[in-house]
Amino acid sequence: MPKSKRDRAVTLSKTKKKGREHKESIVNSIREAVEQYNSIYVFSFENMRNLKFKQFREQLKSTSRFFLGSNKVMQVALGRSDSDEIRSGLHKVSKLLRGDSGLCVTNMPKEEAQRIFNEYEDYDFARTGSIATETVELKEGPLDQFTHEMEPFLRKQGLPVRLNKGVVELVGDFVVCEEGKPISPESSRILRLMDIKMATFKLHLICRWSPEDFEVYQEGLEGSDIESA
């Protein structure tokens, strides 16, 4: 009887940071999940927020499992070529594990999975270095949204403020951030104080694999790397 592909030994000699045992455990977990679920998706993400992703994952735990981490380790688990893939066609999935991406193994019907991923988005405060989605400017005059105790902190963030009869007052117009430009650490703090959320946490489906078929969803990804494999 021919030996099953998934029984082959895995070489992880180049993975040192988290230890060989940890990464072999991830490989084994992915391989077990591949046998237990009907479909596999590669997804990418924007503005990852760990807590929000944990909540998303919890909502789907009855039908799905998610894997995030080293793309190379996930590729090893699936197989990076047709000679070492654990199931037919999975090396095509491996080739699309690039950049900020992860795996979802699921029993959800295809239409339901597509709908849930496409509809999901959540908003959060922008982090330092992210690109402003709008220009935020404060006009000269009282800043009633801030208490007088915050005046020293606001000055440290670069705002030209003073106390006027116990009211925080801006002594000149001030641009917190400009659309299309990176957000500074000071601007990030001010936007948070103003409750302005510019980061949208989104998930995008890249491809879907099942024993019957393989689909690529993102345009421009059906390149020679996949077709020639």
Side-chain angles (χ1 to χ4, degrees):
M1 180 181 293
K3 191 174 182 180
S4 171
K5 286 185 175 182
R6 57 193 170 92
D7 291 333
R8 292 177 180 173
V10 178
T11 301
L12 292 171
S13 57
K14 294 184 180 180
T15 60
K16 297 179 181 178
K17 287 187 178 179
K18 290 191 175 181
R20 181 185 178 122
E21 290 184 3
H22 173 75
K23 296 188 177 184
E24 286 182 344
S25 174
I26 295 174
V27 167
N28 291 333
S29 294
I30 292 174
R31 290 185 167 185
E32 289 173 5
V34 167
E35 298 297 328
Q36 295 169 2
Y37 293 85
N38 298 331
S39 303
I40 301 173
Y41 292 86
V42 173
F43 63 92
S44 63
F45 50 85
E46 296 177 49
N47 298 306
M48 170 58 77
R49 296 297 187 265
N50 291 335
L51 179 59
K52 295 181 185 297
F53 182 69
K54 182 178 179 181
Q55 294 168 347
F56 177 78
R57 189 170 56 191
E58 279 293 309
Q59 294 172 4
L60 301 177
K61 67 179 182 180
S62 63
T63 60
S64 312
R65 285 191 67 184
F66 290 83
F67 297 93
L68 289 178
S70 166
N71 288 341
K72 288 184 179 179
V73 172
M74 291 189 286
Q75 289 169 351
V76 167
L78 299 176
R80 288 179 283 193
S81 68
D82 56 0
S83 63
D84 63 5
E85 63 187 6
I86 60 171
R87 296 186 70 177
S88 179
L90 279 182
H91 74 282
K92 297 179 181 180
V93 177
S94 288
K95 290 183 180 297
L96 293 177
L97 282 164
R98 307 167 181 165
D100 294 331
S101 61
L103 286 174
C104 172
V105 290
T106 183
N107 286 328
M108 284 190 292
K110 178 172 69 171
E111 293 76 13
E112 182 181 358
Q114 291 174 341
R115 177 185 60 79
I116 289 173
F117 274 83
N118 291 338
E119 292 179 356
Y120 180 79
E121 64 179 21
D122 208 336
Y123 299 94
D124 204 350
F125 298 107
R127 293 172 175 168
T128 299
S130 59
I131 303 301
T133 59
E134 61 180 291
T135 297
V136 176
E137 183 176 6
L138 295 173
K139 295 297 184 180
E140 179 181 354
L143 299 177
D144 296 326
Q145 65 267 49
F146 302 125
T147 63
H148 69 277
E149 294 94 344
M150 298 179 67
E151 188 263 347
F153 177 80
L154 294 172
R155 274 193 288 108
K156 287 182 179 179
Q157 308 315 310
L159 269 69
V161 294
R162 67 184 178 187
L163 282 178
N164 185 3
K165 296 180 180 179
V167 176
V168 178
E169 185 177 73
L170 195 65
V171 299
D173 294 349
F174 182 82
V175 177
V176 179
C177 62
E178 293 185 61
E179 182 179 357
K181 293 187 177 181
I183 295 173
S184 68
E186 295 79 12
S187 295
S188 177
R189 297 184 195 109
I190 295 169
L191 292 171
R192 183 178 289 269
L193 289 173
M194 296 174 67
D195 198 33
I196 296 177
K197 298 180 179 181
M198 288 192 182
T200 305
F201 173 36
K202 297 187 71 173
L203 303 170
H204 304 281
L205 288 178
I206 302 298
C207 69
R208 171 185 174 272
W209 174 95
S210 73
E212 294 78 32
D213 59 5
F214 174 71
E215 301 175 272
V216 177
Y217 297 125
Q218 294 281 355
E219 292 183 6
L221 292 179
E222 295 181 270
S224 58
D225 281 353
I226 297 173
E227 293 170 356
S228 63

